Amino acid sequence: MFLHGTSRQNERGHLEIGGIDVLSLAERYGTPLYIYDVALIRERARKFQKAFQEADLKAQVAYASKAFSSVAMIQLAEEEGLSLDVVSGGELFTAIKAGFPPERIHFHGNNKSPEELEMALQHKIGCIVLDNFHEIAITEELCKRAGQTVDVLLRITPGVEAHTHDYITTGQEDSKFGFDLHNGQVEQAIEQVLQSQAFELLGVHCHIGSQIFDTAGFVLAADKIFEKLAEWRETYSFIPSVLNLGGGFGIRYTKEDEPLPADVYVGKIIEAVKANAEHFGFDIPEIWIEPGRSLVGDAGTTLYTIGSQKQVPGIRKYVAIDGGMSDNIRPALYEAKYEASVANRMNAGRDDTVSIAGKCCESGDMLIWDLEVPEVRDGDVLAVFCTGAYGYSMANNYNRIPRPAVVFVEDGEAQLVIQRESYEDIVKLDLPLKSKVKQS
């Protein structure tokens, strides 16, 4: 079993993260429980930043907070000197509550509401990434009312398709995101933005997909964008100061995954930007990237308590846990795969094969198929690895199941950063029926 970061098997045969036996965390905070290895998050953030620093280039590494957003996580990003990518009013509000410097916040999204955009302007965030013509018009009107100007990027779809699941590719032409690079939409958007006194156009942004294991897509996207930048320089006298090539850097969920180190992704991006800038006669723009999953994904581990078992003779053995698609919907949503271990018996032989079933009332609530484990017992603790991205952020209350707690661990200390929901929390927004429904 490959363990990430500070995770290890301790002398008791238990899983340990951040210097803490996870069984003590399960006992203290209950299960399901998300555990984050803070040291690993810090390490990943510093590696991305160091790659740019060693190249002596202006850059911003913005944490894509949709992967996991909470006040504590945003404060950790600030401690590490990251910028921040938000995609909703809720993520922006969380960043403001966390005290994150607004000038380092970038606001994405394909349907930002007037209220969300107004919040962004009120807090004078660093950049709005304009996604469509509707948004240009709304933002321009809000700026005029407030007497403000705002720095913007234009999100473009460069026609580059990353090799990943169809549901998480976003750089191809047929996408709900951005202005198409090849049908004249970007040129129309540039004209509108440059002619408006509400905007300062910094440059362009693209995002070609998620869980990407090579660099070819980033290089191809840079090539396509610079070809257009050369045209726009001639047509509009527009020279970008910023080029944002997005995120999507992969992590290792299972032994089949082979992600690249952070410095390799960044090195190839820098190489492509430098080569194109030299070829087309541009100064090297400030490069922005947006790692999310690659900062927090494999830093997260989810603990579950094992409950019922069901043997289907000749077919399979089901082992149920006290969570499921309510705290990790990714397997049901796009067949995401994970590895796991019995956390209280890490050194036991794996002589049984089981399928891990969630407790939600859906036959599709299956977390892992055909997992090799020791013979499991009622009350064992299962640790599912690499759940730090899109676990809690996609968590839900299906079947009115409360969302789990979140704990940060580092150097032998644990800190509760999100409390477990209670049943009272589940019903706190419900309103009673005022009167009996009339009988027909």
Short mmCIF file of all heavy atoms in Angstrom, two decimals, residues 31-77:
data_model
loop_
_atom_site.label_atom_id
_atom_site.label_comp_id
_atom_site.label_asym_id
_atom_site.label_seq_id
_atom_site.Cartn_x
_atom_site.Cartn_y
_atom_site.Cartn_z
N THR A 31 -16.88 8.81 13.31
CA THR A 31 -16.74 8.56 11.88
C THR A 31 -18.12 8.72 11.23
O THR A 31 -19.14 8.61 11.90
CB THR A 31 -16.22 7.13 11.61
OG1 THR A 31 -17.14 6.17 12.15
CG2 THR A 31 -14.84 6.94 12.20
N PRO A 32 -18.16 8.97 9.93
CA PRO A 32 -17.06 9.27 9.03
C PRO A 32 -16.30 10.52 9.48
O PRO A 32 -16.88 11.41 10.10
CB PRO A 32 -17.74 9.50 7.67
CG PRO A 32 -19.07 8.85 7.78
CD PRO A 32 -19.46 9.00 9.21
N LEU A 33 -15.03 10.57 9.09
CA LEU A 33 -14.18 11.69 9.49
C LEU A 33 -13.17 11.96 8.39
O LEU A 33 -12.47 11.06 7.94
CB LEU A 33 -13.45 11.35 10.79
CG LEU A 33 -12.47 12.41 11.31
CD1 LEU A 33 -13.23 13.65 11.79
CD2 LEU A 33 -11.61 11.83 12.45
N TYR A 34 -13.11 13.22 7.95
CA TYR A 34 -12.08 13.63 7.01
C TYR A 34 -10.86 14.10 7.80
O TYR A 34 -10.98 14.93 8.71
CB TYR A 34 -12.53 14.81 6.15
CG TYR A 34 -13.75 14.61 5.29
CD1 TYR A 34 -14.97 15.14 5.66
CD2 TYR A 34 -13.67 13.95 4.06
CE1 TYR A 34 -16.09 15.02 4.86
CE2 TYR A 34 -14.79 13.83 3.24
CZ TYR A 34 -16.00 14.36 3.65
OH TYR A 34 -17.11 14.24 2.85
N ILE A 35 -9.67 13.58 7.44
CA ILE A 35 -8.42 13.99 8.07
C ILE A 35 -7.53 14.59 7.00
O ILE A 35 -7.33 13.99 5.94
CB ILE A 35 -7.70 12.79 8.72
CG1 ILE A 35 -8.61 12.09 9.73
CG2 ILE A 35 -6.40 13.22 9.37
CD1 ILE A 35 -8.04 10.77 10.22
N TYR A 36 -6.97 15.77 7.29
CA TYR A 36 -6.06 16.43 6.34
C TYR A 36 -4.65 16.49 6.91
O TYR A 36 -4.45 16.93 8.04
CB TYR A 36 -6.54 17.84 6.01
CG TYR A 36 -7.63 17.87 4.97
CD1 TYR A 36 -8.97 17.70 5.34
CD2 TYR A 36 -7.35 18.05 3.62
CE1 TYR A 36 -9.97 17.72 4.39
CE2 TYR A 36 -8.34 18.08 2.66
CZ TYR A 36 -9.65 17.91 3.06
OH TYR A 36 -10.65 17.92 2.11
N ASP A 37 -3.70 16.05 6.11
CA ASP A 37 -2.27 16.08 6.43
C ASP A 37 -1.74 17.46 6.04
O ASP A 37 -1.39 17.71 4.88
CB ASP A 37 -1.57 14.97 5.65
CG ASP A 37 -0.10 14.84 5.95
OD1 ASP A 37 0.46 15.74 6.61
OD2 ASP A 37 0.51 13.86 5.49
N VAL A 38 -1.67 18.38 7.00
CA VAL A 38 -1.31 19.77 6.72
C VAL A 38 0.11 19.87 6.17
O VAL A 38 0.39 20.68 5.28
CB VAL A 38 -1.49 20.63 7.98
CG1 VAL A 38 -0.97 22.05 7.75
CG2 VAL A 38 -2.96 20.67 8.39
N ALA A 39 1.02 19.07 6.69
CA ALA A 39 2.40 19.13 6.21
C ALA A 39 2.50 18.82 4.73
O ALA A 39 3.29 19.44 4.00
CB ALA A 39 3.28 18.15 7.01
N LEU A 40 1.67 17.90 4.25
CA LEU A 40 1.69 17.55 2.83
C LEU A 40 1.13 18.69 1.99
O LEU A 40 1.64 18.99 0.90
CB LEU A 40 0.91 16.26 2.58
CG LEU A 40 0.88 15.74 1.14
CD1 LEU A 40 2.29 15.59 0.58
CD2 LEU A 40 0.13 14.42 1.05
N ILE A 41 0.08 19.35 2.46
CA ILE A 41 -0.46 20.51 1.74
C ILE A 41 0.61 21.60 1.63
O ILE A 41 0.82 22.20 0.56
CB ILE A 41 -1.72 21.05 2.43
CG1 ILE A 41 -2.83 20.00 2.43
CG2 ILE A 41 -2.20 22.33 1.75
CD1 ILE A 41 -4.06 20.39 3.23
N ARG A 42 1.29 21.88 2.72
CA ARG A 42 2.35 22.89 2.70
C ARG A 42 3.45 22.51 1.71
O ARG A 42 3.94 23.34 0.94
CB ARG A 42 2.95 23.05 4.10
CG ARG A 42 2.02 23.62 5.16
CD ARG A 42 2.80 23.94 6.42
NE ARG A 42 1.94 24.19 7.57
CZ ARG A 42 1.35 25.35 7.82
NH1 ARG A 42 1.49 26.37 6.99
NH2 ARG A 42 0.60 25.49 8.91
N GLU A 43 3.84 21.24 1.74
CA GLU A 43 4.90 20.77 0.84
C GLU A 43 4.52 20.97 -0.63
O GLU A 43 5.31 21.46 -1.44
CB GLU A 43 5.17 19.29 1.11
CG GLU A 43 6.18 18.65 0.18
CD GLU A 43 6.26 17.15 0.37
OE1 GLU A 43 6.26 16.70 1.54
OE2 GLU A 43 6.30 16.43 -0.65
N ARG A 44 3.28 20.62 -0.98
CA ARG A 44 2.83 20.75 -2.37
C ARG A 44 2.78 22.22 -2.78
O ARG A 44 3.19 22.58 -3.89
CB ARG A 44 1.45 20.11 -2.53
CG ARG A 44 1.47 18.61 -2.37
CD ARG A 44 2.14 17.94 -3.59
NE ARG A 44 2.50 16.57 -3.33
CZ ARG A 44 1.65 15.54 -3.32
NH1 ARG A 44 0.37 15.75 -3.54
NH2 ARG A 44 2.09 14.32 -3.11
N ALA A 45 2.27 23.09 -1.91
CA ALA A 45 2.19 24.52 -2.23
C ALA A 45 3.58 25.08 -2.48
O ALA A 45 3.79 25.86 -3.44
CB ALA A 45 1.50 25.26 -1.09
N ARG A 46 4.52 24.72 -1.66
CA ARG A 46 5.88 25.26 -1.78
C ARG A 46 6.57 24.76 -3.04
O ARG A 46 7.37 25.49 -3.64
CB ARG A 46 6.67 24.92 -0.52
CG ARG A 46 6.13 25.65 0.71
CD ARG A 46 6.73 25.17 2.02
NE ARG A 46 6.03 25.80 3.15
CZ ARG A 46 6.30 25.56 4.42
NH1 ARG A 46 7.27 24.71 4.75
NH2 ARG A 46 5.61 26.17 5.37
N LYS A 47 6.29 23.54 -3.45
CA LYS A 47 6.91 23.01 -4.66
C LYS A 47 6.44 23.76 -5.90
O LYS A 47 7.24 24.05 -6.80
CB LYS A 47 6.64 21.51 -4.78
CG LYS A 47 7.49 20.66 -3.86
CD LYS A 47 7.28 19.17 -4.07
CE LYS A 47 8.22 18.36 -3.20
NZ LYS A 47 8.02 16.89 -3.37
N PHE A 48 5.14 24.06 -5.98
CA PHE A 48 4.64 24.84 -7.12
C PHE A 48 5.29 26.22 -7.14
O PHE A 48 5.73 26.70 -8.19
CB PHE A 48 3.12 24.97 -7.05
CG PHE A 48 2.36 23.80 -7.61
CD1 PHE A 48 1.66 22.94 -6.78
CD2 PHE A 48 2.35 23.54 -8.97
CE1 PHE A 48 0.96 21.85 -7.29
CE2 PHE A 48 1.66 22.47 -9.50
CZ PHE A 48 0.96 21.61 -8.66
N GLN A 49 5.35 26.86 -6.00
CA GLN A 49 5.91 28.20 -5.94
C GLN A 49 7.40 28.20 -6.23
O GLN A 49 7.91 29.09 -6.92
CB GLN A 49 5.62 28.82 -4.57
CG GLN A 49 4.14 29.10 -4.34
CD GLN A 49 3.85 29.51 -2.91
OE1 GLN A 49 4.27 28.84 -1.96
NE2 GLN A 49 3.16 30.61 -2.75
N LYS A 50 8.11 27.22 -5.70
CA LYS A 50 9.56 27.16 -5.88
C LYS A 50 9.93 27.02 -7.35
O LYS A 50 10.94 27.59 -7.81
CB LYS A 50 10.13 25.98 -5.08
CG LYS A 50 11.64 25.88 -5.14
CD LYS A 50 12.14 24.69 -4.33
CE LYS A 50 13.66 24.57 -4.40
NZ LYS A 50 14.15 23.38 -3.66
N ALA A 51 9.11 26.29 -8.11
CA ALA A 51 9.41 26.10 -9.53
C ALA A 51 9.42 27.43 -10.28
O ALA A 51 10.25 27.66 -11.17
CB ALA A 51 8.39 25.15 -10.15
N PHE A 52 8.50 28.32 -9.93
CA PHE A 52 8.49 29.65 -10.56
C PHE A 52 9.63 30.52 -10.03
O PHE A 52 10.25 31.28 -10.77
CB PHE A 52 7.15 30.34 -10.32
CG PHE A 52 6.02 29.79 -11.15
CD1 PHE A 52 4.98 29.09 -10.56
CD2 PHE A 52 6.00 29.98 -12.52
CE1 PHE A 52 3.94 28.59 -11.31
CE2 PHE A 52 4.96 29.48 -13.30
CZ PHE A 52 3.93 28.79 -12.68
N GLN A 53 9.88 30.42 -8.73
CA GLN A 53 10.94 31.23 -8.13
C GLN A 53 12.30 30.89 -8.72
O GLN A 53 13.11 31.78 -9.01
CB GLN A 53 10.95 31.03 -6.61
CG GLN A 53 9.73 31.61 -5.91
CD GLN A 53 9.53 31.07 -4.50
OE1 GLN A 53 10.29 30.22 -4.03
NE2 GLN A 53 8.50 31.55 -3.82
N GLU A 54 12.55 29.61 -8.93
CA GLU A 54 13.83 29.21 -9.50
C GLU A 54 13.99 29.66 -10.94
O GLU A 54 15.11 29.85 -11.43
CB GLU A 54 13.99 27.69 -9.40
CG GLU A 54 14.19 27.20 -7.97
CD GLU A 54 14.37 25.70 -7.88
OE1 GLU A 54 14.02 25.00 -8.86
OE2 GLU A 54 14.86 25.22 -6.84
N ALA A 55 12.86 29.83 -11.64
CA ALA A 55 12.90 30.34 -13.01
C ALA A 55 12.94 31.87 -13.05
O ALA A 55 13.06 32.45 -14.13
CB ALA A 55 11.69 29.84 -13.79
N ASP A 56 12.82 32.49 -11.86
CA ASP A 56 12.87 33.95 -11.74
C ASP A 56 11.80 34.62 -12.61
O ASP A 56 12.07 35.57 -13.34
CB ASP A 56 14.26 34.48 -12.10
CG ASP A 56 14.48 35.92 -11.63
OD1 ASP A 56 13.82 36.32 -10.65
OD2 ASP A 56 15.29 36.63 -12.25
N LEU A 57 10.57 34.09 -12.52
CA LEU A 57 9.46 34.63 -13.29
C LEU A 57 8.36 35.13 -12.38
O LEU A 57 8.13 34.56 -11.31
CB LEU A 57 8.88 33.56 -14.21
CG LEU A 57 9.73 33.11 -15.40
CD1 LEU A 57 9.01 32.00 -16.15
CD2 LEU A 57 10.00 34.28 -16.34
N LYS A 58 7.67 36.18 -12.80
CA LYS A 58 6.49 36.63 -12.07
C LYS A 58 5.38 35.60 -12.26
O LYS A 58 5.12 35.17 -13.38
CB LYS A 58 6.04 38.00 -12.56
CG LYS A 58 6.95 39.15 -12.20
CD LYS A 58 6.32 40.49 -12.58
CE LYS A 58 5.09 40.77 -11.74
NZ LYS A 58 4.50 42.11 -12.06
N ALA A 59 4.75 35.24 -11.16
CA ALA A 59 3.72 34.21 -11.24
C ALA A 59 2.81 34.31 -10.03
O ALA A 59 3.16 34.91 -9.01
CB ALA A 59 4.36 32.82 -11.29
N GLN A 60 1.63 33.72 -10.17
CA GLN A 60 0.74 33.51 -9.03
C GLN A 60 0.27 32.06 -9.06
O GLN A 60 -0.19 31.56 -10.09
CB GLN A 60 -0.48 34.44 -9.08
CG GLN A 60 -0.19 35.89 -8.74
CD GLN A 60 -1.46 36.70 -8.53
OE1 GLN A 60 -2.40 36.26 -7.87
NE2 GLN A 60 -1.49 37.89 -9.08
N VAL A 61 0.42 31.40 -7.92
CA VAL A 61 -0.13 30.06 -7.73
C VAL A 61 -1.39 30.24 -6.90
O VAL A 61 -1.34 30.57 -5.72
CB VAL A 61 0.87 29.14 -7.01
CG1 VAL A 61 0.25 27.76 -6.79
CG2 VAL A 61 2.17 29.03 -7.81
N ALA A 62 -2.53 30.05 -7.54
CA ALA A 62 -3.82 30.28 -6.88
C ALA A 62 -4.45 28.95 -6.51
O ALA A 62 -4.66 28.09 -7.37
CB ALA A 62 -4.75 31.07 -7.80
N TYR A 63 -4.74 28.78 -5.23
CA TYR A 63 -5.43 27.57 -4.79
C TYR A 63 -6.86 27.57 -5.31
O TYR A 63 -7.64 28.50 -5.05
CB TYR A 63 -5.43 27.48 -3.26
CG TYR A 63 -6.32 26.38 -2.73
CD1 TYR A 63 -6.18 25.06 -3.16
CD2 TYR A 63 -7.31 26.65 -1.78
CE1 TYR A 63 -7.00 24.06 -2.68
CE2 TYR A 63 -8.13 25.65 -1.29
CZ TYR A 63 -7.97 24.35 -1.74
OH TYR A 63 -8.79 23.35 -1.27
N ALA A 64 -7.22 26.54 -6.07
CA ALA A 64 -8.57 26.40 -6.60
C ALA A 64 -9.46 25.86 -5.48
O ALA A 64 -9.57 24.64 -5.27
CB ALA A 64 -8.59 25.48 -7.81
N SER A 65 -10.11 26.76 -4.76
CA SER A 65 -10.75 26.39 -3.50
C SER A 65 -11.98 25.52 -3.67
O SER A 65 -12.48 24.97 -2.70
CB SER A 65 -11.10 27.65 -2.69
OG SER A 65 -12.09 28.43 -3.34
N LYS A 66 -12.47 25.35 -4.90
CA LYS A 66 -13.60 24.43 -5.08
C LYS A 66 -13.23 23.02 -4.66
O LYS A 66 -14.10 22.22 -4.31
CB LYS A 66 -14.09 24.44 -6.54
CG LYS A 66 -13.09 23.88 -7.54
CD LYS A 66 -13.67 23.83 -8.94
CE LYS A 66 -12.68 23.19 -9.91
NZ LYS A 66 -13.27 22.99 -11.26
N ALA A 67 -11.93 22.68 -4.67
CA ALA A 67 -11.50 21.35 -4.25
C ALA A 67 -11.84 21.09 -2.79
O ALA A 67 -12.27 20.00 -2.43
CB ALA A 67 -9.99 21.19 -4.48
N PHE A 68 -11.64 22.11 -1.95
CA PHE A 68 -12.02 22.03 -0.54
C PHE A 68 -11.94 23.43 0.04
O PHE A 68 -10.86 24.01 0.15
CB PHE A 68 -11.11 21.09 0.25
CG PHE A 68 -11.32 21.17 1.74
CD1 PHE A 68 -12.58 20.96 2.29
CD2 PHE A 68 -10.27 21.47 2.59
CE1 PHE A 68 -12.78 21.05 3.66
CE2 PHE A 68 -10.46 21.56 3.96
CZ PHE A 68 -11.73 21.35 4.50
N SER A 69 -13.08 23.97 0.39
CA SER A 69 -13.14 25.33 0.91
C SER A 69 -13.66 25.32 2.34
O SER A 69 -14.71 24.75 2.63
CB SER A 69 -14.07 26.20 0.04
OG SER A 69 -14.16 27.51 0.55
N SER A 70 -12.90 25.92 3.23
CA SER A 70 -13.33 26.17 4.60
C SER A 70 -12.50 27.33 5.11
O SER A 70 -11.46 27.67 4.52
CB SER A 70 -13.12 24.94 5.50
OG SER A 70 -11.75 24.76 5.81
N VAL A 71 -12.93 27.94 6.18
CA VAL A 71 -12.18 29.07 6.73
C VAL A 71 -10.74 28.66 7.03
O VAL A 71 -9.78 29.35 6.67
CB VAL A 71 -12.88 29.63 7.98
CG1 VAL A 71 -11.97 30.59 8.73
CG2 VAL A 71 -14.17 30.34 7.59
N ALA A 72 -10.55 27.52 7.69
CA ALA A 72 -9.21 27.08 8.06
C ALA A 72 -8.36 26.78 6.83
O ALA A 72 -7.16 27.10 6.79
CB ALA A 72 -9.28 25.84 8.96
N MET A 73 -8.95 26.17 5.79
CA MET A 73 -8.19 25.84 4.59
C MET A 73 -7.75 27.12 3.88
O MET A 73 -6.62 27.21 3.39
CB MET A 73 -9.03 24.97 3.66
CG MET A 73 -8.29 24.55 2.39
SD MET A 73 -6.80 23.61 2.71
CE MET A 73 -5.67 24.38 1.53
N ILE A 74 -8.63 28.12 3.83
CA ILE A 74 -8.27 29.38 3.18
C ILE A 74 -7.17 30.08 3.97
O ILE A 74 -6.25 30.68 3.40
CB ILE A 74 -9.51 30.29 3.04
CG1 ILE A 74 -10.61 29.58 2.25
CG2 ILE A 74 -9.14 31.60 2.38
CD1 ILE A 74 -10.19 28.97 0.95
N GLN A 75 -7.23 30.01 5.28
CA GLN A 75 -6.17 30.60 6.11
C GLN A 75 -4.85 29.88 5.90
O GLN A 75 -3.78 30.52 5.91
CB GLN A 75 -6.60 30.59 7.58
CG GLN A 75 -7.74 31.56 7.86
CD GLN A 75 -8.31 31.43 9.25
OE1 GLN A 75 -8.22 30.38 9.88
NE2 GLN A 75 -8.93 32.50 9.75
N LEU A 76 -4.89 28.57 5.71
CA LEU A 76 -3.67 27.83 5.42
C LEU A 76 -3.09 28.26 4.07
O LEU A 76 -1.86 28.43 3.94
CB LEU A 76 -3.97 26.33 5.41
CG LEU A 76 -2.82 25.38 5.08
CD1 LEU A 76 -1.65 25.57 6.03
CD2 LEU A 76 -3.30 23.93 5.10
N ALA A 77 -3.94 28.47 3.08
CA ALA A 77 -3.47 28.95 1.78
C ALA A 77 -2.81 30.32 1.92
O ALA A 77 -1.78 30.59 1.29
CB ALA A 77 -4.64 29.03 0.80
#
